[in-house]
Amino acid sequence: MSNKIITMVRKELIDAARDKRSVMAGLYYAVGAPLLMCGMFFMLIGQLTSPEDLNIKINNPQGAPDLIKYLSSKGITQGDADKNKDILLVISDDYASNMAKGISADVTLIADASNEKLQKSIRRLEKSLQQYSSEMGSLRLIARGIDPRVMQPIKLNVEDQATPDSKAGMILGLATMTMIYAVFISGMNLAIDTSAGERERNSLALLLSHPVSTGQIVISKIITVTLFGMIGLLLTLIVSKFAYSFVPWQELGFSVSVNSSFIGMMMLVGLPVAIMAACLQLFVSFMAKSFKEAQSYLTIVLMLPMMLAMAASYDIAPDTLQWLPVSGQLQALIEFIKGRELPGMQLAISSLITLAISALLAFGMQKSLKSEKIVFGL
Amino acid sequence: MHHGMYSPLRARVCPTLTRRKKVALAVVIWAAILLPTVHAQPLTLSAPKAVNTTDNSCYVDGLSEQMNCGSISVPEDHDQPEGKHIQVYYVVMPAIKSSGKSEALLAIAGGPGQSAIENAKGFDQMLTKVRQTHDVILIDQRGTGQSNPLQCVGDGFASPLAINESDFDAREESQKCLDELDADVTQYDSLSALRDFEAVRQHLGYQKLHLYGVSYGTRMAQLYMRHYPEHIATVTLDGVVPMQQSVLAIGDAIARAFDLLIQDCSNNTLCHNQFPQLAAELDKMDSELAQAPKISMIADPRTGEATQLTMTRSKFNGALRMALYSPSVRALIPHAIHQASQGNFQPITGLYAMSMDGAGIAMGMHASVVCAEDWQRLTPQLRANISQHYFGREMLKTFEKSCAVWNMPTVDSSFSQAIASDIPTLILSGKLDPATPPSWGEMAMEKLTNAKHFVAPYATHGVAYQSCGNNLIAELVEKGAVADIDGECLNKDISRNFYLNASTVEAIPSDTDTKQAETALNQ
């Protein structure tokens, strides 16, 4: 029995390898996705870490030369009109006289706060103005013979339990999602080809005429697709390990490292997911009448793990999701990355559920292969 | 008022001032006789051994992030390893993305007598870029912070504002402090501390260190270069005290910084129009207070309670001197001088309150270092030079008394020789520095064959904290060489306008209402 399965897996692999384009299509994702993610992170870091200079419009700068000088020392200046951000700082006409009298001088910041791109710059400007204001205030107190520390009755001490690794959790959640997704994408073409495709080429009926049980056929197909999924995952992890090391994470104040223990963990946790992905994709493909139809269905089916994965990384309904396939494993992996204790119970149950779903799908496939309707695509 | 250098990290004005409330009054009252006890200092330092170590994650003042803290036990006298031991505490601020455990940056605080760990927040801000890839180590040098601190906290003074400094017998106060300390103060010199530093490096397992020293910390860094060059990758000396120089000679630097201030004000139209007689007013106040202190009743700067203010020459000059350390507080000096000359001491009192706690300096350790390494090297001619200025005279008087009590062994004469080294070294000086002028940076370069010296035109003491100097340090640490480092960014104008009244740095509109309001506010 096991000999027959091994023979058939070998046959499936040879079949799959013959169609090089389809193999490559599956693996493009494995190599491409981490690289695309890296590109995205590079841009994200560029946006998050504010550049040295912030150019804004300033009305009446001659009304507050010291303030302008201070802002300039913080890299905030009035630049050329075309380079300016859409932020306007208006220094009131009575700024100097109010300052001299020791009362608050008006400075108005005009900007569209709903503009996402301006958020960072607005906050930076507000913070600088606040710092200037409190420095002026402190010195005003000193000039009146008062220790400025009287203005600080409470000294708040914050103790942050986060480690540089755990701060990376959000980002790595996204990255982990693309990695898990590799087991779906990498095996997809093969799953379609070996089921709907094989039927289209009329070789499925031929295969069934051999002295092997439908169960053995289904198992060998599942093993082959799972193998492809796992190869895709491994490739994704290896590419990620190298590509992610080039992203300047430290500029965001944390570190991201895809190390060997993470790769091992990922492969282990990814295996049930890969089996389920193989079963799901084969099942759907068998149900479809043609290769093309299978492709259309699978695209929709693939949305499901994607949504589960996204829900897990954005902490939506975490209580239910922790038991479900894909999201359960993802949550466990994110905990692992953050250096916290691995939720073993949760991982075991979600993996068992994943395998149970796989078994159901495999059983369904085995049944369906006995139906002429399915075998001949009637 | 206290004498000597100090690191500027704490001397900044912002709403989050976190100084310790201890009033280091003994500073004011150090006193009198020089005893000729001379011990030979070992030139080659044997590899120190540390025992009884502890390591823990912890939090430090002002930072929310987890750090690694620990301490090692070292012999108080390194030449008697079986004798009494003291704990030396350190904090490792971990790199965000570690480039391996072989290199770290050791940041050394000033003073002498400041705690590196208490200044962690300042060092963290300044070394953010370095920390992206390198661990930063802070060590409480023996006698400071938590490491068996030699604090001399004066007691029995109801109000430091009320005392007249000249009434105190500094010798007696030093003796009282010495009697209370559980330490052999003669072991708290720089070279003993250097062996602790090296023991901490070995304990933490770093192959090489990048050094950053500020103010007195530059002396420790230079000694590290001299005695353990094989463990040093790069060095940054910020506000450098060259080995050839006694810190007691800073009178010239202080006088120079006052001259620069007066010059700055007269070059500035607004300041000059508002305070046309600034130099004369300063002289007038100084000579009046030299005759006799001025006594008045004021509201205590901190508690608000009515208290007696005895404005002495020492308080007046000391407050102004300390204000010179920070570019933003410096902006208040012309106003403070002018108001004092009009009989209003509030601005001066405010400035004095800022430095009343001695900037967190452990005065006992301060005395150990200065008496061993700076006091005894003074030649009669140097003494005569130093005595030319008020601060120099005061310092000589003070240490003459306290060093007599402290009875430190003299360092070997080779201690004062220029450091000869080819380790990549970055030297930063602030043009407006009231403690370590740019000429001291030049002096430190004498035998450094691989060094670059930058003078930041708008910085005072502690360039890296006030300018882009921090970026230069990160560049040095990353490249491991000084050749390509360009100090152009230091020329960015970070100066501030002078305060023209108690409220503004901007031009005062010339109408009588404002004048009246100003007068009302100043009463």
Side-chain angles (χ1 to χ4, degrees):
Chain A
M1 160 126 177
S2 61
N3 259 345
K4 277 184 186 159
I5 290 182
I6 290 170
T7 314
M8 288 217 299
V9 167
R10 195 184 296 144
K11 170 252 162 202
E12 294 287 352
L13 282 173
I14 292 168
D15 263 5
R18 259 187 213 133
D19 187 2
K20 291 212 171 57
R21 280 185 149 177
S22 136
V23 173
M24 290 314 289
L27 300 185
Y28 282 147
Y29 175 88
V31 179
L35 295 180
L36 281 174
M37 291 292 283
C38 277
M40 200 182 83
F41 288 138
F42 266 111
M43 282 182 29
L44 203 69
I45 287 173
Q47 275 204 343
L48 288 180
T49 52
S50 183
E52 288 290 298
D53 290 314
L54 169 59
N55 290 326
I56 57 166
K57 273 175 263 177
I58 303 175
N59 277 6
N60 189 24
Q62 62 281 6
D66 188 67
L67 174 62
I68 301 302
K69 210 150 89 175
Y70 175 86
L71 290 177
S72 152
S73 76
K74 301 272 167 191
I76 303 171
T77 47
Q78 172 145 253
D80 300 330
D82 54 330
K83 279 191 205 154
N84 285 345
K85 297 241 181 198
D86 276 337
I87 298 176
L88 176 64
L89 195 67
V90 181
I91 290 154
S92 61
D93 291 331
D94 55 2
Y95 181 94
S97 63
N98 280 357
M99 269 287 176
K101 288 178 210 155
I103 55 181
S104 299
D106 278 329
V107 171
T108 312
L109 196 168
I110 302 171
D112 177 1
S114 70
N115 186 340
E116 295 287 325
K117 284 182 192 163
L118 289 183
Q119 285 293 349
K120 184 91 191 166
S121 303
I122 293 173
R123 271 203 301 278
R124 180 173 161 195
L125 184 56
E126 279 177 346
K127 199 176 151 207
S128 294
L129 288 169
Q130 207 58 53
Q131 279 169 353
Y132 181 80
S133 179
S134 55
E135 187 197 292
M136 291 290 290
S138 293
L139 286 165
R140 279 178 172 181
L141 287 180
I142 294 173
R144 286 158 180 73
I146 297 169
D147 189 325
R149 276 166 285 183
V150 298
M151 287 293 291
Q152 197 199 7
I154 289 177
K155 187 182 149 219
L156 178 66
N157 297 311
V158 180
E159 298 190 352
D160 184 358
Q161 306 259 293
T163 62
D165 280 346
S166 73
K167 283 183 209 156
M170 177 73 187
I171 295 271
L172 261 191
L174 203 65
T176 313
M177 185 182 91
T178 61
M179 292 172 192
I180 281 280
Y181 211 57
V183 304
F184 286 91
I185 300 286
S186 304
M188 184 174 81
N189 270 355
L190 179 63
I192 302 173
D193 194 59
T194 193
S195 51
E198 203 158 80
R199 182 172 50 210
E200 223 165 62
R201 294 192 296 272
N202 292 323
S203 56
L204 187 59
L206 205 66
L207 184 63
L208 283 165
S209 69
H210 281 81
V212 285
S213 68
T214 50
Q216 285 169 333
I217 293 178
V218 167
I219 288 175
S220 65
K221 285 188 188 296
I222 291 173
I223 290 176
T224 314
V225 176
T226 304
L227 214 59
F228 262 66
M230 292 304 283
I231 291 172
L233 177 61
L234 185 64
L235 213 60
T236 308
L237 288 169
I238 291 169
V239 175
S240 302
K241 181 180 168 63
F242 290 103
Y244 283 13
S245 66
F246 290 107
V247 181
W249 303 109
Q250 65 277 10
E251 287 180 21
L252 293 179
F254 57 73
S255 61
V256 169
S257 59
V258 180
N259 52 25
S260 46
S261 73
F262 177 73
I263 291 180
M265 191 69 203
M266 195 80 189
M267 292 299 286
L268 202 68
V269 172
L271 186 62
V273 182
I275 294 173
M276 191 196 72
C279 293
L280 185 67
Q281 288 170 336
L282 283 168
F283 185 81
V284 173
S285 302
F286 272 127
M287 293 302 146
K289 286 204 165 56
S290 67
F291 194 102
K292 279 213 165 133
E293 203 181 313
Q295 269 182 329
S296 327
Y297 289 159
L298 272 191
T299 322
I300 298 164
V301 169
L302 278 180
M303 294 291 285
L304 194 71
M306 176 71 114
M307 283 166 87
L308 284 173
M310 273 181 44
S313 33
Y314 288 100
D315 262 0
I316 304 164
D319 292 341
T320 327
L321 283 170
Q322 61 178 329
W323 311 114
L324 295 184
V326 185
S327 59
Q329 281 99 341
L330 254 185
Q331 281 190 357
L333 280 170
I334 290 169
E335 290 294 297
F336 179 77
I337 298 164
K338 288 184 178 174
R340 298 192 195 137
E341 207 182 328
L342 194 70
M345 178 74 168
Q346 177 201 330
L347 187 60
I349 292 181
S350 63
S351 296
L352 277 177
I353 294 178
T354 310
L355 289 173
I357 293 174
S358 312
L360 270 176
L361 288 167
F363 183 71
M365 262 187 283
Q366 193 227 335
K367 280 271 180 224
S368 67
L369 279 189
K370 289 182 174 151
S371 140
E372 287 183 5
K373 211 176 144 196
I374 296 288
V375 175
F376 298 105
L378 298 172
Chain B
M1 187 188 76
H2 68 87
H3 309 297
M5 331 265 99
Y6 85 113
S7 139
L9 292 179
R10 278 160 183 275
R12 56 189 190 273
V13 175
C14 64
T16 53
L17 277 168
T18 54
R19 297 195 197 174
R20 302 216 314 196
K21 302 276 187 285
K22 283 180 187 163
V23 181
L25 267 176
V27 189
V28 195
I29 40 190
W30 286 120
I33 308 162
L34 182 67
L35 290 183
T37 318
V38 179
H39 297 252
Q41 198 77 25
L43 251 188
T44 47
L45 305 178
S46 60
K49 282 246 154 48
V51 285
N52 294 344
T53 57
T54 52
D55 279 279
N56 284 309
S57 72
C58 65
Y59 294 94
V60 295
D61 208 9
L63 291 172
S64 61
E65 210 182 327
Q66 276 183 50
M67 306 291 176
N68 304 323
C69 303
S71 66
I72 59 170
S73 170
V74 293
E76 185 174 52
D77 181 348
H78 277 288
D79 295 330
Q80 290 181 8
E82 303 306 317
K84 182 191 168 189
H85 275 59
I86 55 171
Q87 292 292 120
V88 169
Y89 288 82
Y90 60 81
V91 168
V92 179
M93 306 202 278
I96 289 157
K97 183 182 181 183
S98 180
S99 58
K101 181 98 167 101
S102 65
E103 287 186 2
L105 183 136
L106 171 62
I108 312 171
Q114 278 190 323
S115 153
I117 295 174
E118 281 165 24
N119 283 299
K121 189 182 177 188
F123 281 124
D124 178 66
Q125 276 176 31
M126 200 170 76
L127 299 168
T128 308
K129 278 205 177 163
V130 175
R131 264 201 70 197
Q132 288 191 359
T133 47
H134 288 77
D135 293 353
V136 172
I137 311 169
L138 304 175
I139 303 173
D140 268 350
Q141 185 166 342
R142 55 166 62 197
T144 76
Q146 306 168 70
S147 304
N148 204 31
L150 306 188
Q151 296 280 9
C152 291
V153 181
D155 49 7
F157 308 115
S159 167
L161 292 166
I163 59 166
N164 183 346
E165 291 81 356
S166 55
D167 286 352
F168 287 92
D169 182 352
R171 187 175 200 283
E172 191 184 302
E173 287 300 323
S174 297
Q175 188 63 55
K176 206 162 82 188
C177 174
L178 186 61
D179 293 344
E180 279 170 15
L181 290 175
D182 176 26
D184 174 4
V185 294
T186 60
Q187 298 301 323
Y188 289 76
D189 60 298
S190 301
L191 282 167
S192 300
L194 180 66
R195 292 162 87 164
D196 301 342
F197 281 15
E198 178 58 12
V200 171
R201 181 196 66 79
Q202 284 179 16
H203 166 63
L204 293 174
Y206 296 104
Q207 293 299 309
K208 289 219 169 197
L209 294 178
H210 299 268
L211 298 180
Y212 170 79
V214 59
S215 194
Y216 161 75
T218 63
R219 174 177 291 172
M220 290 301 293
Q222 290 171 87
L223 288 173
Y224 221 136
M225 292 168 83
R226 174 183 285 167
H227 292 281
Y228 303 103
E230 66 277 17
H231 296 307
I232 309 296
T234 70
V235 180
T236 304
L237 305 175
D238 186 354
V240 51
V241 189
M243 296 311 295
Q244 306 94 300
Q245 189 73 56
S246 163
V247 296
L248 290 171
I250 71 172
D252 280 345
I254 300 170
R256 176 183 163 277
F258 270 110
D259 289 346
L260 279 170
L261 175 90
I262 304 244
Q263 208 176 306
D264 274 4
C265 180
S266 62
N267 290 343
N268 178 310
T269 322
L270 289 174
C271 189
H272 183 69
N273 289 345
Q274 191 74 2
F275 312 113
Q277 302 297 321
L278 193 59
E281 285 168 351
L282 179 59
D283 285 347
K284 175 186 155 229
M285 283 317 297
D286 189 52
S287 51
E288 276 183 28
L289 291 171
Q291 301 298 316
K294 293 180 190 287
I295 296 172
S296 57
M297 289 302 285
I298 56 150
D300 183 282
R302 212 167 286 167
T303 64
E305 282 169 20
T307 183
Q308 181 188 313
L309 171 69
T310 307
M311 184 49 72
T312 58
R313 193 185 187 193
S314 154
K315 281 199 187 78
F316 180 79
N317 285 296
L320 293 180
R321 175 195 163 203
M322 295 315 285
L324 285 168
Y325 276 86
S326 152
S328 55
V329 184
R330 184 179 185 266
L332 201 56
I333 295 178
H335 173 73
I337 293 173
H338 177 68
Q339 286 300 315
S341 75
Q342 307 290 307
N344 171 19
F345 284 122
Q346 269 181 345
I348 286 285
T349 310
L351 289 174
Y352 180 71
M354 301 287 300
S355 52
M356 229 156 46
D357 57 9
I361 286 183
M363 286 315 302
M365 180 276 197
H366 187 85
S368 287
V369 168
V370 173
C371 292
E373 298 160 20
D374 298 286
W375 168 253
Q376 311 205 25
R377 71 163 94 169
L378 293 181
T379 59
Q381 172 160 16
L382 263 173
R383 265 164 210 275
N385 281 347
I386 291 170
S387 300
Q388 284 174 0
H389 296 294
Y390 166 74
F391 281 106
R393 269 197 308 280
E394 287 297 299
M395 267 180 234
L396 283 183
K397 269 199 300 203
T398 299
F399 283 103
E400 201 151 71
K401 293 176 181 175
S402 62
C403 290
V405 175
W406 236 244
N407 197 12
M408 292 295 293
T410 314
V411 286
D412 192 274
S413 62
S414 61
F415 184 87
S416 317
Q417 281 169 10
I419 299 293
S421 171
D422 60 357
I423 298 170
T425 305
L426 176 67
I427 296 178
L428 300 171
S429 297
K431 188 191 161 202
L432 309 175
D433 196 326
T436 55
S439 60
W440 287 21
E442 280 310 309
M443 194 190 285
M445 295 274 286
E446 190 184 327
K447 289 181 179 169
L448 297 178
T449 54
N450 193 6
K452 256 192 183 175
H453 181 205
F454 293 114
V455 181
Y458 301 101
T460 62
H461 193 55
V463 175
Y465 196 76
Q466 296 171 15
S467 66
C468 69
N470 51 351
N471 293 346
L472 303 185
I473 300 169
E475 214 180 318
L476 174 67
V477 168
E478 193 196 328
K479 289 182 180 162
V482 285
D484 296 338
I485 295 180
D486 176 12
E488 179 56 34
C489 66
L490 292 169
N491 295 324
K492 185 164 185 173
D493 187 353
I494 51 158
S495 70
R496 306 298 303 280
N497 288 2
F498 287 109
Y499 272 75
L500 303 176
N501 65 18
S503 299
T504 193
V505 292
E506 311 290 11
I508 302 174
S510 56
D511 62 74
T512 42
D513 289 359
T514 322
K515 281 266 154 57
Q516 281 167 2
E518 182 202 345
T519 329
L521 279 169
N522 286 333
Q523 298 302 301

